[in-house]
Amino acid sequence: MIKINSIYDLNNYNFENFKFIINDNNVQINNSKEKCNITIEYNTNKILKTIETIEKLTGLKIQLSSISSDELLSFIENKGFSKTLWNPIGKAMHQYNMIEEGDRVAVGVSGGKDSLTVLNALVRIQKISKVNFEIIPIHIHPVEEGSKYGDIIEYCKNLGLTLQVFETTLSEMLFENKDIKNPCFLCARIRRGLLYRVMKEQNINKLALGHHKDDIIETFLLNVFYQGNMNVMKPKYISEEYGVTVIRPLAFVEEKDTIKYSKKLNLPILPNECPYETSDNSRRLKVKNIIKEISQENPEIRSVILNSIKELLY
């Protein structure tokens, strides 16, 4: 992948058997292997479309350092995601009345595919709806992992947002204490507590999280199998302890679709360094594999499970 500030940064750039020549209103691609030239016309208001064409023709992955406000919506929506992302997100937002006039919405940006997808979704809603609300992206970062969030800061700037970063010693608290039996639960609780504290200090009334359909059904089955209860991860609820509303706009979106979306847009995903995420002892991973196996026989199993517990989601 190459990062560029403008299309002119590609001038005289070589990639495999391609060489790019940039003129005032077109991009010339010289293919030394096929001994042919391709010319692409462009204008300054449609740079993203030009980049998409270049990627298709050459395979070169290009990331633009800044996106104009005119093209931002086009970049976020992309193509082919109406049915899998925007329609189910819109349905969840409407069904649970997630966003209201004057809301100040914090977005828990972990740096993963789901939280970045939620961030994009809220920016999209902000642009296409008549509801006035504010978006405040917040990142809780373990100091042990170093300062690896620079790309996310830049990405938020492209969206017209400022990422707030709060560093913590989560890894030291969780993984050096062998008496902690469920570090994943405690990790989530600590992160959430930090977010709630920041929200209270800044008078933020809602928190958007990146949990999707798979997370909801996996959590439900985990509670049934291991806790003997039917507690669920609700698309919207009020935290009585902190007095803030938590929303999950991806409640009807499947994980496979956030994966496709994040890859298509080359989102700046932080590497996941959690040792429990892929551990053989991970109960969530076991449940995830069970669902994956059943889905081979019934591809709609996730929707079937979610529909069976819909009354519990309110």
Side-chain angles (χ1 to χ4, degrees):
M1 181 190 296
I2 178 175
K3 295 183 180 180
I4 61 174
N5 295 314
S6 75
I7 199 73
Y8 292 99
D9 289 346
L10 287 176
N11 193 37
N12 291 319
Y13 183 77
N14 293 286
F15 171 70
E16 295 182 350
N17 50 289
F18 301 102
K19 182 175 181 178
F20 302 92
I21 305 295
I22 312 300
N23 295 315
D24 289 340
N25 59 359
N26 63 63
V27 177
Q28 293 181 16
I29 305 174
N30 300 325
N31 188 330
S32 59
K33 183 178 181 180
E34 302 294 334
K35 298 185 184 305
C36 66
N37 299 324
I38 302 171
T39 300
I40 304 171
E41 294 185 2
Y42 76 90
N43 64 60
T44 55
N45 294 323
K46 296 183 179 180
I47 297 300
L48 289 176
K49 186 175 182 180
T50 302
I51 288 175
E52 184 179 355
T53 302
I54 293 172
E55 290 179 336
K56 287 181 179 179
L57 290 172
T58 66
L60 174 64
K61 295 297 182 182
I62 302 171
Q63 187 176 85
L64 196 61
S65 62
S66 62
I67 304 168
S68 69
S69 58
D70 293 335
E71 289 196 277
L72 185 56
L73 183 59
S74 175
F75 165 75
I76 288 174
E77 289 185 335
N78 215 277
K79 294 180 181 178
F81 293 100
S82 293
K83 185 177 180 180
T84 57
L85 277 185
W86 311 129
N87 289 349
I89 288 174
K91 180 182 177 182
M93 298 287 285
H94 176 73
Q95 187 168 322
Y96 293 94
N97 191 29
M98 292 187 180
I99 298 293
E100 298 172 281
E101 185 75 18
D103 278 342
R104 302 192 73 231
V105 185
V107 183
V109 180
S110 67
K113 64 188 187 318
D114 306 319
S115 65
L116 291 172
T117 299
V118 163
L119 187 64
N120 279 8
L122 289 177
V123 172
R124 175 180 179 270
I125 291 166
Q126 195 178 53
K127 286 187 170 293
I128 67 174
S129 75
K130 296 181 180 180
V131 180
N132 294 312
F133 66 97
E134 189 176 350
I135 301 171
I136 303 102
I138 300 174
H139 176 62
I140 306 298
H141 191 79
V143 295
E144 296 86 355
E145 296 180 9
S147 300
K148 300 179 181 179
Y149 43 79
D151 288 343
I152 302 179
I153 291 176
E154 291 302 314
Y155 183 76
C156 286
K157 286 182 181 178
N158 285 342
L159 298 179
L161 303 169
T162 300
L163 180 71
Q164 297 186 28
V165 178
F166 297 90
E167 295 188 336
T168 180
T169 55
L170 270 176
S171 298
E172 181 181 327
M173 288 187 288
L174 294 170
F175 306 127
E176 292 184 7
N177 188 343
K178 296 181 181 180
D179 293 330
I180 298 177
K181 296 181 179 179
N182 193 345
C184 297
F185 173 80
L186 185 57
C187 178
R189 186 173 179 82
I190 293 174
R191 285 176 184 267
R192 196 79 52 84
L194 291 171
L195 283 170
Y196 288 153
R197 186 196 69 194
V198 172
M199 290 172 66
K200 185 175 181 180
E201 291 173 352
Q202 300 185 26
N203 195 30
I204 301 171
N205 66 311
K206 286 185 179 176
L207 171 63
L209 299 175
H211 298 123
H212 43 63
K213 181 192 289 189
D214 293 66
D215 289 322
I216 291 174
I217 62 176
E218 287 165 14
T219 299
F220 170 71
L221 293 177
L222 278 167
N223 285 329
V224 170
F225 293 160
Y226 297 103
Q227 302 298 329
N229 64 57
M230 298 177 67
N231 293 338
V232 296
M233 181 182 281
K234 295 183 178 182
K236 177 184 177 182
Y237 72 94
I238 298 175
S239 170
E240 295 182 359
E241 183 179 358
Y242 293 93
V244 300
T245 300
V246 177
I247 59 173
R248 296 183 168 103
L250 302 185
F252 298 154
V253 174
E254 294 190 11
E255 183 178 26
K256 62 181 177 63
D257 295 313
T258 65
I259 293 173
K260 290 178 183 177
Y261 180 72
S262 62
K263 288 182 178 179
K264 183 74 180 295
L265 269 67
N266 295 318
L267 296 181
I269 297 172
L270 284 177
N272 188 349
E273 300 183 4
C274 176
Y276 289 90
E277 192 75 17
T278 57
S279 169
D280 292 337
N281 296 323
S282 169
R283 291 177 174 179
R284 182 171 291 274
L285 184 59
K286 290 177 182 178
V287 170
K288 185 184 289 289
N289 288 333
I290 290 172
I291 296 170
K292 184 178 180 180
E293 183 177 348
I294 297 175
S295 69
Q296 300 300 314
E297 179 182 344
N298 180 6
E300 300 298 320
I301 187 61
R302 293 171 180 82
S303 295
V304 170
I305 297 174
L306 192 69
N307 188 58
S308 71
I309 62 173
K310 61 183 179 182
E311 300 301 327
L312 300 175
L313 299 179
Y314 286 94

